[in-house]
Amino acid sequence: MGPTFPAMVKKQSNDNRSYFEFDVMREAFKRWVEEDKVPEDQWRPRATKLVRIVTGDDYVDPNMVEWIVRSKSSTPADEE
């Protein structure tokens, strides 16, 4: 069974962004918070900022932010 994605990722038919780009964004976020030792209460604002930077849009779908944050919190820090 493949990963589950927020509705925003699934509804990108009129946008050129791919799952790959969203996955790269999620991986960048995970590294960013780990390397900067960002407290969990700052993950959502940081994820929102990252989505804005990558997409160039002011509006950020809250489901996208939750997907990024949830992916971070459900992945063990010492995976490697």
Side-chain angles (χ1 to χ4, degrees):
M1 181 175 273
T4 55
F5 311 110
M8 182 180 171
V9 174
K10 294 178 184 176
K11 293 181 181 177
Q12 291 301 319
S13 59
N14 62 350
D15 197 329
N16 291 329
R17 291 181 192 92
S18 66
Y19 165 71
F20 175 76
E21 291 172 299
F22 285 107
D23 192 49
V24 168
M25 189 182 338
R26 180 181 59 182
E27 292 302 315
F29 171 78
K30 290 190 317 190
R31 282 196 178 146
W32 189 15
V33 297
E34 287 172 12
E35 289 175 4
D36 288 358
K37 297 180 181 7
V38 178
E40 192 169 346
D41 67 335
Q42 289 298 308
W43 288 0
R44 282 174 183 79
R46 292 247 183 152
T48 301
K49 181 177 182 179
L50 180 62
V51 173
R52 282 190 179 127
I53 290 168
V54 171
T55 65
D57 294 331
D58 288 333
Y59 173 75
V60 175
D61 186 328
N63 293 320
M64 174 57 66
V65 172
E66 288 306 310
W67 179 67
I68 292 170
V69 171
R70 185 173 52 248
S71 296
K72 166 63 183 122
S73 61
S74 66
T75 303
D78 299 326
E79 237 178 58
E80 297 175 36

